[in-house]
Amino acid sequence: MQKKRFISMLLAGALTISLAACGNSSNGGEGNGNTPNTSGKAVEAEPKGTEDSAGKSVTYWIDPEMGGITNASTFDDAPCWQAIQENTGIDVVWEHPASGQSQEQFNLIVASSELPDIMYYSWGTAYPGGPDAAIADGKIYALNDYIKEYAPNLTAYLERHPDMEKAITTDEGNIYCFPGIYTSTSDSSDVWQTAIDREPFYEPFIGLVIRKDWLDDLGLDIPVTLDDWYNTLKAFRDEKGAKYPLSYMNMFGCMAQSFATAFDITLPVTAMGGATAFGIREDGTIQYGPAQEGYRGYLEFMNKLYSEGLLDPDFMVQDRTTLQSKVVNGEVGAWIEMMPAGLGTLRTQVLAEDPEASFYPVGVANPVREEGQKLYYFQANYPYVNSGAAITTSCKYIETAVKLLDYCWSEEGERLVNWGIEGESYEMVDGWPQFTDQIIHNDLGLSPSQAHAQYRQLNGPFPMDHWQRLVSKTDYTLEEGKVDENIASLDLWAKNGTQPAGLPSTTILSSESGDYASKFNEINTYADEMYSKFIMGQESLDNFDKYVENLKKMGLDDVIAIQESALERYNNRTAG
């Protein structure tokens, strides 16, 4: 069956799969050591015993939180990496930063003379001047020749997807890392595709949610326009007694771009450095969302909601736990949710307290100003988000490090990092990987997503599989025939527009980075401060023009010019 039909099955009913916990699939297992490439010839995993023991070991620095390994203090405990080391014959000595300190420790490490062999991080944005500067400073290697010689799997992928080779190639033509790239099986495919065939994918994960049961009680349709939303939220307040008709935590509200896209603007996400405030216009130029005339309209709408008691007054300060507590307690009619702790989880919590509860949340599309408007911007990660595994100049055995990283681009390796151990954590069913019964109905009291997280790596320098994310977010508590709103929401949020908020993997030059950082930091801080003041009525929107004038005095035009130069260099890049 095709992918669209298979996803339709998920939307139409929960998967009722009981899989054997052992055995191999005829669709391919993990035992032959061979990996496919575009030539059709098998690429052998590095034979064991061809180098001395020192050459068969590498040190690898990665933040477990960034990599998505849970319930383990080190990647050594992850079954996928135990199998990778056994299959390649390469020992990995893991180095992990303390929780919440990855940026600080990254900066300390790269400032030193002794670095781990491999470092997975956001090199495109974290190192001053970007990867070219890191290469020029003697911190990491340019990998062009090494990848061509020792990485047949990544080479084959880049040949098939030259846009991704461009994304990981610097302005000076250097490939600086093994990338993490979001990938998705083609909608036209009859079966799940391996990495070489999966397309680069703009990964959505957050959006608006509304209580469909309240809409039904009130005889209302799902709101489409901003006026629909205003009238619906008033009905939630006046007729359902909602204490907080609309609620969200601010980072989610900005990240989802939910109401802003109706005004053709993008919003900064403060916790992420404000980069999503930039958007590429249809003519290829760059806008800074908080300085656009549409931003005034957005602020006016949000101020209207706030001043009439339709927006939770705690939206600037509450965390996710507080928000979800309000939702479960029946105080909220609409909110902004991020997967994977999605709609099914919240509904399960409500039903545990009251099995007769009508609580039924559904994901909805971002609103439009008027019927027929086609949204341009939407929330999604770019396929490559500047995070990759670079090989440092402290590495004595570059060939070994390259082969280890390339193994995760082979079919055998990418199944391990994405899915874990076949027969234990997943099994092939009708050509598609699915969780085993011991993952869905585990003895540890964990959700299937949590149980599976112990086997795989969610994010890292490999082809990250969107299908795994869909299976992970599936609501396995549903009865057969019920709609899986988790999957339906992700599918809907992916269709909110045509251009993702933010910018691709552009690089600010070393000569520009100091001036850019000082100006943009001041701009971003001021815009963030005024954002809350405008919405909460502490600053009159009559002063909006003066606010924009202040942004320009702080150097906004210079900041945009630097970003546009970086985008021009990106568009002119020649793949490595």
Side-chain angles (χ1 to χ4, degrees), residues 297-309:
Y298 164 77
L299 293 172
E300 288 174 344
F301 179 75
M302 300 308 292
N303 171 257
K304 180 180 180 180
L305 299 184
Y306 182 88
S307 63
E308 297 189 25

Side-chain angles (χ1 to χ4, degrees), residues 176-187:
Y176 64 95
C177 71
F178 277 74
I181 295 178
Y182 295 106
T183 62
S184 180
T185 293
S186 169
D187 286 342

Side-chain angles (χ1 to χ4, degrees), residues 33-93:
N34 295 330
T35 56
N37 62 22
T38 51
S39 68
K41 297 179 181 179
V43 178
E44 295 290 340
E46 182 184 0
K48 299 179 182 180
T50 58
E51 300 177 9
D52 59 40
S53 59
K56 300 298 292 180
S57 177
V58 294
T59 52
Y60 193 151
W61 186 93
I62 185 172
D63 184 347
E65 294 178 6
M66 188 177 183
I69 290 284
T70 59
N71 300 318
S73 59
T74 171
F75 274 41
D76 260 334
D77 296 334
C80 63
W81 273 100
Q82 293 170 358
I84 289 170
Q85 292 180 74
E86 180 179 352
N87 292 352
T88 61
I90 299 171
D91 293 325
V92 180
V93 179

Side-chain angles (χ1 to χ4, degrees), residues 174-384:
N174 296 312
I175 294 179
Y176 64 95
C177 71
F178 277 74
I181 295 178
Y182 295 106
T183 62
S184 180
T185 293
S186 169
D187 286 342
S188 61
S189 178
D190 291 333
V191 294
W192 174 78
Q193 294 173 319
T194 54
I196 193 67
D197 292 318
R198 293 201 302 270
E199 294 295 321
F201 183 71
Y202 291 92
E203 184 81 25
F205 55 87
I206 191 169
L208 280 162
V209 175
I210 199 165
R211 285 194 59 168
K212 181 67 164 57
D213 55 311
W214 281 10
L215 292 176
D216 292 343
D217 288 347
L218 297 169
L220 297 175
D221 294 327
I222 288 176
V224 174
T225 66
L226 293 172
D227 284 343
D228 292 341
W229 271 92
Y230 173 70
N231 292 327
T232 297
L233 294 174
K234 280 205 307 182
F236 285 173
R237 179 195 64 192
D238 299 338
E239 300 182 47
K240 298 302 294 185
K243 188 174 182 180
Y244 313 106
L246 172 66
S247 184
Y248 53 81
M249 56 179 290
N250 187 49
M251 186 177 76
F252 283 11
C254 293
M255 189 183 297
Q257 308 285 331
S258 50
F259 292 98
T261 54
F263 298 92
D264 295 321
I265 59 166
T266 56
L267 295 177
V269 182
T270 303
M272 300 174 67
T276 55
F278 296 104
I280 301 175
R281 296 188 180 98
E282 293 187 66
D283 65 0
T285 60
I286 290 176
Q287 62 138 309
Y288 179 68
Q292 306 306 304
E293 184 60 29
Y295 190 57
R296 186 203 304 261
Y298 164 77
L299 293 172
E300 288 174 344
F301 179 75
M302 300 308 292
N303 171 257
K304 180 180 180 180
L305 299 184
Y306 182 88
S307 63
E308 297 189 25
L310 303 178
L311 173 61
D312 188 341
D314 296 330
F315 76 99
M316 285 296 297
V317 295
Q318 69 184 345
D319 58 19
R320 192 179 189 186
T321 300
T322 302
L323 168 62
Q324 291 190 339
S325 177
K326 292 176 179 179
V327 170
V328 171
N329 289 336
E331 299 174 316
V332 177
W335 65 98
I336 294 171
E337 183 58 82
M338 183 174 75
M339 299 299 181
L343 313 188
T345 302
L346 294 174
R347 191 160 185 266
T348 299
Q349 292 179 35
V350 172
L351 293 177
E353 294 291 328
D354 179 9
E356 302 301 319
S358 60
F359 179 80
Y360 195 82
V362 298
V364 293
N366 285 0
V368 296
R369 291 193 308 278
E370 56 189 26
E371 290 276 5
Q373 178 188 2
K374 300 296 184 183
L375 296 181
Y376 182 60
Y377 293 110
F378 72 108
Q379 183 279 321
N381 282 332
Y382 276 82
Y384 174 61

